[in-house]
Amino acid sequence: MIDIREIGKDETELAGPALLELRPQWETSSRLTEFIDNELRPAGYRLIGVFETGSPAALSVAGFRESHSTAWGHHLYIDDVSTLPAARGRGHADRLLDRLTAEARRLRCTGIHLDSGVGPTRAAAHRLYMRRHLAITAHHFTLDLR
């Protein structure tokens, strides 16, 4: 049985394995959990996950926040969508995007926004977003200051 639910602060570690697939720079679930709970959650970051009966960790997760900007007005920003490799191709990311769309409507957001990296490993994610009618509307520029 599949359950989709919000992942609270006291259980962020359940999202760790799936999130590390997308964000390996954090190296461990503990480091990622600490960053999310101490830095992101206080700024409004939330997590939802897909859970299967008998599996304690989330198979697929999405991190998001309600936001306001001059460019996009009131919107839902999706920071992360990631699924464990063994659970890919089973519709979990679609389920998460359905839930996020419902949450954006509940919050009366005027849109949903996300950035997605480029490269050959991102093709499946881009197909998902395009199939879900998310449009490519901007370029994202960065300047690394490390």
Side-chain angles (χ1 to χ4, degrees), residues 13-146:
E13 187 88 18
L14 299 177
L19 275 177
L20 282 173
E21 290 295 322
L22 182 65
R23 309 290 183 213
Q25 69 270 26
W26 292 100
E27 297 175 351
T28 67
S29 288
S30 297
R31 287 186 63 210
L32 184 54
T33 295
E34 182 179 330
F35 178 70
I36 289 170
D37 287 345
N38 294 329
E39 302 295 330
L40 298 183
R41 284 191 187 272
Y45 181 89
R46 297 165 56 194
L47 281 165
I48 58 172
V50 175
F51 294 85
E52 201 166 57
T53 303
S55 178
L59 301 175
S60 187
V61 295
F64 65 100
R65 65 186 83 222
E66 180 181 10
S67 188
H68 296 82
S69 71
T70 56
W72 303 323
H74 181 209
H75 63 281
L76 190 83
Y77 186 82
I78 301 172
D79 293 84
D80 312 293
V81 178
S82 186
T83 303
L84 291 171
R88 290 181 183 153
R90 295 170 34 195
H92 298 317
D94 269 312
R95 290 180 184 92
L96 292 173
L97 290 173
D98 285 343
R99 183 65 62 93
L100 291 172
T101 300
E103 181 65 3
R105 291 184 194 288
R106 186 189 73 77
L107 294 170
R108 300 181 191 272
C109 294
T110 59
I112 295 174
H113 293 266
L114 65 82
D115 289 312
S116 184
V118 295
T121 63
R122 302 300 301 149
H126 297 164
R127 283 191 302 273
L128 167 70
Y129 302 144
M130 298 298 281
R131 185 171 40 78
R132 300 293 305 219
H133 305 288
L134 279 84
I136 299 171
T137 60
H139 292 281
H140 178 91
F141 297 90
T142 64
L143 175 62
D144 190 352
L145 299 174
R146 287 179 265 163

